Amino acid sequence: MLATLMFILAYLLGSISSAILVSRLFKLPDPRSNGSNNPGATNVYRLGGALPACLVLIFDVLKGTIPVWGGYFLDLEPLALGLVAVAACLGHMFPLFFGFKGGKAVATAFGSLLPIGLSLAGLLICTWFIMVAITRYSSLAALIAVSLAPLYTWLIKPLYTLPVTFITVLIIFRHRSNIARLFSGNEPKVGAKKAPTDEKSDI
């Protein structure tokens, strides 16, 4: 019963789209219909600059961290904690309060992994930066980092490997359009002067 309640609360928290709310606060264009059409920090940065993007990023991370931390202190089993993390990501991807049209949930997924340990967070961040430096593809860097998350978790806290694998599968599924563009050579690179205009190019 407690796990079910946490699952619902995580989904509802995830459904609060900070990209849309921050854009309204700063009187920016709706990120769902401008730039890359993706309601996330990357697109908000494109539309409004660093400050609103940072606010979106922080809130999106907290959407994953808060419910998982809550479940951890309530002594939920690792599998249940994994489902809480997935619920937060699903809320971000398919927000109840915004017509079920959300983002890719990379920041929210990252936030949900923070309670496992700062060492895991550090490995994921380093992996992302290294892959961006090598490939200049933000989406590819995110896909590689999230794909390595179960391995990193197994090395650090094996008990949470299965729940983290759930999140990895969910994030990869959500990035299927990015994967198709990577194979076709149409995925935008970091630092490209022309912003992508096709649907949801950001991570």
Side-chain angles (χ1 to χ4, degrees):
M1 183 64 180
L2 182 59
T4 301
L5 177 60
M6 290 301 299
F7 184 91
I8 294 171
L9 291 175
Y11 172 76
L12 294 176
L13 181 60
S15 290
I16 302 173
S17 178
S18 59
I20 297 173
L21 296 177
V22 169
S23 294
R24 291 176 181 175
L25 178 65
F26 283 83
K27 298 182 179 179
L28 302 176
D30 191 328
R32 294 171 295 180
S33 55
N34 291 273
S36 65
N37 301 332
N38 182 59
T42 302
N43 198 28
V44 171
Y45 176 77
R46 180 179 296 117
L47 297 172
L51 177 58
C54 285
L55 293 176
V56 171
L57 180 62
I58 291 170
F59 187 80
D60 283 352
V61 169
L62 289 176
K63 288 195 302 186
T65 303
I66 291 172
V68 174
W69 262 120
Y72 178 81
F73 282 113
L74 290 172
D75 292 325
L76 294 185
E77 295 294 326
L79 183 59
L81 283 176
L83 293 176
V84 169
V86 168
C89 293
L90 287 173
H92 182 87
M93 293 175 179
F94 309 103
L96 175 66
F97 309 124
F98 297 94
F100 300 99
K101 295 180 180 179
K104 299 293 178 68
V106 172
T108 301
F110 175 76
S112 71
L113 298 179
L114 283 178
I116 294 178
L118 293 180
S119 55
L120 174 60
L123 284 170
L124 293 174
I125 291 172
C126 288
T127 300
W128 186 86
F129 273 111
I130 290 170
M131 295 314 303
V132 166
I134 293 173
T135 69
R136 292 184 58 212
Y137 286 112
S138 179
S139 59
L140 179 59
L143 286 166
I144 292 174
V146 77
S147 296
L148 290 173
L151 174 60
Y152 292 156
T153 305
W154 179 75
L155 294 172
I156 297 169
K157 288 188 179 179
L159 192 63
Y160 294 96
T161 302
L162 182 59
V164 171
T165 302
F166 290 162
I167 299 173
T168 293
V169 172
L170 183 63
I171 297 299
I172 291 175
F173 174 79
R174 189 59 169 167
H175 279 74
R176 60 194 185 280
S177 59
N178 298 84
I179 295 171
R181 283 192 296 272
L182 284 166
F183 277 109
S184 65
N186 294 321
E187 181 74 350
K189 291 186 176 183
V190 173
K193 293 183 179 180
K194 185 177 180 180
T197 56
D198 53 331
E199 184 181 359
K200 296 183 179 178
S201 298
D202 298 332
I203 60 172

